Amino acid sequence: MFLALRELWFARNRFLLMGAVVALISILMVILSGLSSGLVNDGVSALQKTPVQAFAFAHDTKEDSAFSRSIVTEDQARAWRDQPDVQDAELFGNMIVNAKTGSGTPVDLTLFGIEPGSFLEPVPAEGSALRSDTDIIVSSTFRDDGVGIGDTVVLDRLGTELTVVGFTEDKRTFGHVDVAYLPLRAWQEVHAGAKVGEKPSDSAYSEASVVAIRGVDDTLPDLGSGDSAAGTSARTLEASFDSSPGFSAEMMTMSMIKFFLYAISALVVGAFFSIWTVQRSRELAVMRAMGASTGFLLRDGMAQALIVLIGSIAVGVLLGVGLGSGLEGGGMPFALESGPIVSGALLLAVLGLLGAGAAIVRVTRVNPLSALGENR
């Protein structure tokens, strides 16, 4: 360890340059983690806050955008309710619509059709619960469009007027669109395309997008048994995130970017210590000739790598968090969360150590005789 610290000091410019590169990679890791978390929150935050363990879709519904493709019936919901490990099963509507506020501002809304008073209805942080068929409880972020309690929202083409009676306590979006909770009966009329004054067919009032399922004691029920009884295709809450428009493609893109970032980090650290080991091979040979063991030299080199990585990653994470805090709350979907940042920093350190270890292992091939003049 003494040798490692001495070399860090006397070759400090080289190690500072290497640390600066790792710190920049760490900053990029923090920013990418924030973007990834922001995309998740903006894409499925409303689903994340829905108190269910699973959703049952129509049988063989294609996974991508399944909420807009699926249609289930009240009979299928009843079959789920009859399962012994299911506490609640309610029809749940989901569709994205274009609308205008009372002032004429165009807005997009994701309509969540729920049964008023059911376990799916959110408790508003401001306003009241759903009482009439034209009431809606909207995401707190809908205030950004200048909407307040008592304002109306008019759906395009249909002319249906909905009145804002409450706001959720937090952001709730689906497919990057603010969510509005409304009574299931009103959702069914909108889904059927009924204009103001029109009534859809009776069958429309027994249909919805999916069945929202809550297990006994909030545990996941037997989805296979329920599917067999109801003729549905159930997915856990987390698996249903992929049914949000574009969610899986966004997550695959971010995962690929982060994969290459981590790979580049390991390669950069490995390349640096490989060159560093070659440059100091004569000194290593002298130490071997003086009796230093291979294990001692390996531990010494890994200690250098560990000090450089921990220090530079810590600095990079702090700078990245400071930079990312200025990006939160803007138009970009960005959210700093400690879990992804900590796991990303640990992964950078582990991969960096692996890269350094692969480079430093050439210490075992240093010939002590070269220090004693075998080539003279």
Side-chain angles (χ1 to χ4, degrees):
M1 190 66 176
F2 173 77
L3 177 63
L5 294 175
R6 294 278 293 179
E7 287 184 334
L8 284 173
W9 174 250
F10 284 106
R12 55 187 177 274
N13 291 334
R14 298 179 186 179
F15 283 103
L16 283 175
L17 180 61
M18 178 61 206
V21 173
V22 176
L24 289 174
I25 293 175
S26 301
I27 292 173
L28 185 56
M29 179 273 297
V30 173
I31 299 301
L32 288 176
S33 296
L35 287 172
S36 181
S37 298
L39 286 173
V40 171
N41 292 340
D42 214 44
V44 295
S45 61
L47 292 183
Q48 289 176 319
K49 297 176 176 66
T50 302
V52 302
Q53 280 69 57
F55 288 107
F57 296 81
H59 185 61
D60 289 338
T61 301
K62 186 178 178 181
E63 183 170 326
D64 184 42
S65 299
F67 281 101
S68 60
R69 304 174 191 272
S70 171
I71 297 178
V72 296
T73 65
E74 175 59 31
D75 290 338
Q76 291 173 306
R78 189 178 301 110
W80 273 102
R81 291 189 201 104
D82 292 339
Q83 297 301 303
D85 53 357
V86 172
Q87 180 175 338
D88 296 291
E90 297 284 349
L91 289 179
F92 179 84
N94 183 318
M95 66 182 298
I96 299 177
V97 298
N98 302 120
K100 288 185 176 64
T101 64
S103 60
T105 303
V107 293
D108 294 326
L109 278 177
T110 297
L111 300 181
F112 277 8
I114 60 174
E115 197 64 44
S118 70
F119 72 100
L120 295 172
E121 182 175 355
V123 177
E126 177 185 352
S128 62
L130 300 175
R131 293 192 179 94
S132 71
D133 286 347
T134 58
D135 289 349
I136 55 174
I137 298 173
V138 296
S139 169
S140 60
T141 51
F142 201 49
R143 291 190 183 94
D144 297 339
D145 293 307
V147 177
I149 299 294
D151 289 346
T152 60
V153 177
V154 182
L155 303 186
D156 288 353
R157 297 185 299 105
L158 302 181
T160 304
E161 290 190 5
L162 302 173
T163 303
V164 177
V165 298
F167 287 98
T168 61
E169 63 180 353
D170 45 22
K171 174 182 179 179
R172 300 202 180 190
T173 53
F174 177 84
H176 307 291
V177 177
D178 287 323
V179 164
Y181 296 84
L182 78 164
L184 181 61
R185 183 177 180 84
W187 182 92
Q188 291 165 334
E189 293 176 354
V190 173
H191 184 257
K195 296 182 179 180
V196 176
E198 296 180 352
K199 288 293 182 182
S201 62
D202 292 339
S203 61
Y205 291 111
S206 64
E207 296 177 343
S209 301
V210 295
V211 179
I213 303 163
R214 181 169 65 169
V216 175
D217 296 328
D218 292 332
T219 58
L220 182 67
D222 184 354
L223 301 184
S225 176
D227 282 337
S228 298
T232 55
S233 179
R235 302 169 193 167
T236 63
L237 177 62
E238 290 75 16
S240 68
F241 293 167
D242 288 336
S243 300
S244 173
F247 181 82
S248 59
E250 291 171 349
M251 292 300 100
M252 288 175 62
T253 300
M254 295 303 299
S255 297
M256 184 64 70
I257 294 174
K258 288 193 285 187
F259 169 80
F260 281 107
L261 176 68
Y262 295 134
I264 290 171
S265 174
L267 289 173
V268 167
V269 175
F272 172 81
F273 280 98
S274 180
I275 296 173
W276 175 243
T277 302
V278 171
Q279 290 178 340
R280 58 199 284 259
S281 58
R282 183 57 62 94
E283 289 81 0
L284 294 174
V286 171
M287 294 186 66
R288 289 290 303 278
M290 294 174 62
S293 66
T294 300
F296 172 82
L297 296 179
L298 287 173
R299 290 192 299 272
D300 192 76
M302 291 300 291
Q304 285 182 340
L306 184 61
I307 293 171
V308 172
L309 285 169
I310 291 178
S312 54
I313 290 174
V315 171
V317 168
L318 290 175
L319 292 175
V321 171
L323 178 61
S325 61
L327 299 176
E328 287 187 298
M332 180 190 304
F334 190 90
L336 290 175
E337 296 180 356
S338 58
I341 292 175
V342 172
S343 61
L346 291 176
L347 189 56
L348 281 179
V350 170
L351 292 177
L353 284 175
L354 290 176
I360 295 172
V361 75
R362 69 180 295 135
V363 168
T364 60
R365 298 196 293 270
V366 172
N367 184 4
L369 293 178
S370 64
L372 302 177
E374 70 166 352
N375 295 324
R376 291 182 180 179

